[in-house]
Amino acid sequence: MAQKTVLVTGGAGYIGSHVIIELIQDGFDIVVLDNLVNASMESIRRVEKIAGKKIPTYSVDLLDKNAVDDVFKKHKISSVIHLAGLKAVGESCELPLLYYKTNVGGTTNLLEVMEANGVFNIVFSSSATVYGLPQFLPLTEDHPVGGCTNPYGKTKFMIEQILSDLCTSNKKWNVAVLRYFNPVGAHKSGTIGEDPSGVPNNLMPFMGQVAVGRRASLTVYGSDYDTPDGTGVRDYIHVVDLALGHVAAVHKLNEQCGLKVLFLQNGQNKSPTVYNLGTGQGVSVLDMVKAFEKASGKKIPYELAERRLGDIASCYGDPSLAAKELNWTATRGLDEMCEDLWRWQSQNPQGYKGAEGSSQ
């Protein structure tokens, strides 16, 4: 069977770098496209060292449609995993036009180039933010969507709608939408991990930076929620488990290619398959602090503050559909998430910035 080549947009980022490793270990060839706005080529160099092979990588922005097309012309791409995009909730509220232009505009460019080059398999990196304020927990894939509380979440919802319309208009498309919960942790080697630019927006990288002395203390926003300890409850998933979910989704799309004739004969409208990727377990902020203190042996000083606008008390998903249809389940627990994060952060206290030749 011919080797399958997967294009990973945003492949130099936190999730992308872990996805690439798991794809290579599963036998795929990889091409990376990343504009390096929030990523570093150092992550690709380290992935190449782990994987033992060179990875064709292009510093290309999805808004540059001709440059994207050039990449497709150079490689026989069979599927795309679309991770590229801006993702800071607070920033999206301050710069909504930038988020709509980058995330939605970049995606439509990508889809047009894919169609022009006869590539119809795409796995899209969506988010649990599309569910908005939970009407019930755990969240299932048929929970109402679209009540997003910020422009970032709205871009994810809009792209989901675009993909749905695309499948309705052209039955050649095979689309898997993965709704992430809260990715944490790092690769077992400790050589790649989350390295946010500026002040971290998420709990775990912030705690990691407190533990290595880069920040004085953690701010816990909201201590009066209707949760066991008053702090927000979230569904944290190990980034390697998340990466393996993408591998499973690519295999699912390849299977659906074989069913294409059946769909066309039956006159069925194909629509994106949507999967929650999470553990199904909610963990509070303070429980996560305790787990990280145990893993790192470091005390994490924290201060309680008022709730942030748009934050919700609890959010965790039901991943049973992914278990049933993708044969995928998150297997790495809280202790492993924290131990792997600490290994990465302690070995790389300044992230990729300290590495010679880093282009961060």
Side-chain angles (χ1 to χ4, degrees):
M1 189 176 72
Q3 182 78 346
K4 298 290 186 180
T5 299
V6 180
L7 173 72
V8 182
T9 73
Y14 170 48
I15 294 169
S17 56
H18 290 83
V19 168
I20 290 167
I21 289 173
E22 300 307 322
L23 285 167
I24 291 172
Q25 290 181 349
D26 202 68
F28 289 95
D29 283 335
I30 305 300
V31 176
V32 169
L33 187 155
D34 200 305
N35 67 4
L36 302 176
V37 167
N38 287 312
S40 168
M41 271 304 295
E42 180 63 22
S43 69
I44 296 295
R45 286 190 279 271
R46 295 186 183 193
V47 167
E48 288 176 334
K49 190 172 181 181
I50 293 168
K53 65 185 295 184
K54 296 292 288 183
I55 299 166
T57 302
Y58 297 89
S59 180
V60 167
D61 195 303
L62 289 178
L63 294 176
D64 186 346
K65 191 173 175 182
N66 289 333
V68 176
D69 188 61
D70 286 344
V71 174
F72 276 79
K73 293 287 190 287
K74 289 176 184 172
H75 300 273
K76 191 170 177 57
I77 294 163
S78 58
S79 301
V80 173
I81 294 180
H82 181 30
L83 305 169
L86 298 173
K87 62 175 187 175
V89 169
E91 184 183 60
S92 77
C93 296
E94 297 168 5
L95 302 169
L97 288 179
L98 177 64
Y99 272 68
Y100 290 121
K101 179 180 179 181
T102 303
N103 292 4
V104 181
T107 300
T108 56
N109 276 355
L110 173 66
L111 294 170
E112 286 173 356
V113 172
M114 288 176 65
E115 198 163 43
N117 286 276
V119 181
F120 296 98
N121 281 7
I122 184 169
V123 176
F124 173 57
S125 157
S126 191
S127 165
T129 58
V130 301
Y131 293 121
L133 188 66
Q135 297 178 18
F136 56 82
L137 290 170
L139 292 160
T140 59
E141 288 84 355
D142 57 4
H143 183 286
V145 292
C148 312
T149 58
N150 55 74
Y152 161 70
K154 289 174 184 174
T155 66
K156 294 293 189 183
F157 173 67
M158 287 178 181
I159 294 167
E160 286 196 16
Q161 298 304 300
I162 290 167
L163 291 169
S164 179
D165 290 342
L166 203 55
C167 287
T168 300
S169 70
N170 186 344
K171 294 182 177 68
K172 289 183 179 180
W173 283 95
N174 292 301
V175 178
V177 171
L178 305 182
R179 292 175 180 159
Y180 304 171
F181 282 78
N182 294 66
V184 296
H187 190 263
K188 269 281 183 274
S189 65
T191 57
I192 62 168
E194 189 168 8
D195 184 27
S197 301
V199 179
N201 290 297
N202 298 324
L203 171 67
M204 294 300 278
F206 204 110
M207 273 203 294
Q209 292 187 9
V210 170
V212 294
R214 284 176 63 181
R215 304 197 181 275
S217 66
L218 172 71
T219 302
V220 177
Y221 294 99
S223 58
D224 58 350
Y225 288 113
D226 184 18
T227 59
D229 62 20
T231 62
V233 169
R234 297 292 182 268
D235 186 342
Y236 296 95
I237 175 173
H238 197 294
V239 67
V240 174
D241 279 330
L242 187 70
L244 289 166
H246 291 74
V247 177
V250 171
H251 283 298
K252 177 76 172 177
L253 294 187
N254 288 338
E255 289 173 16
Q256 287 179 348
C257 283
L259 296 172
K260 194 178 295 175
V261 174
L262 181 63
F263 274 102
L264 293 172
Q265 286 175 344
N266 292 342
Q268 296 180 24
N269 280 333
K270 295 177 71 174
S271 58
T273 48
V274 180
Y275 301 103
N276 286 335
L277 294 189
T279 64
Q281 303 294 317
V283 178
S284 76
V285 173
L286 292 185
D287 281 342
M288 186 58 93
V289 170
K290 291 172 190 171
F292 189 70
E293 286 181 335
K294 175 186 170 187
S296 65
K298 302 282 186 179
K299 186 70 179 170
I300 305 296
Y302 64 85
E303 301 167 355
L304 300 177
E306 294 295 313
R307 302 180 186 186
R308 288 181 299 193
L309 188 66
D311 276 353
I312 56 180
S314 298
C315 180
Y316 52 94
D318 178 353
S320 59
L321 186 64
K324 178 183 176 184
E325 295 192 5
L326 299 181
N327 195 28
W328 171 91
T329 306
T331 61
R332 293 158 178 81
L334 202 57
D335 288 344
E336 192 169 355
M337 296 177 202
C338 293
E339 289 163 6
D340 291 345
L341 169 63
W342 177 238
R343 187 179 301 109
W344 151 253
Q345 195 71 76
S346 59
Q347 291 180 17
N348 302 271
Q350 299 301 317
Y352 294 121
K353 298 174 189 69
E356 184 181 355
S358 173
S359 57
Q360 180 95 14

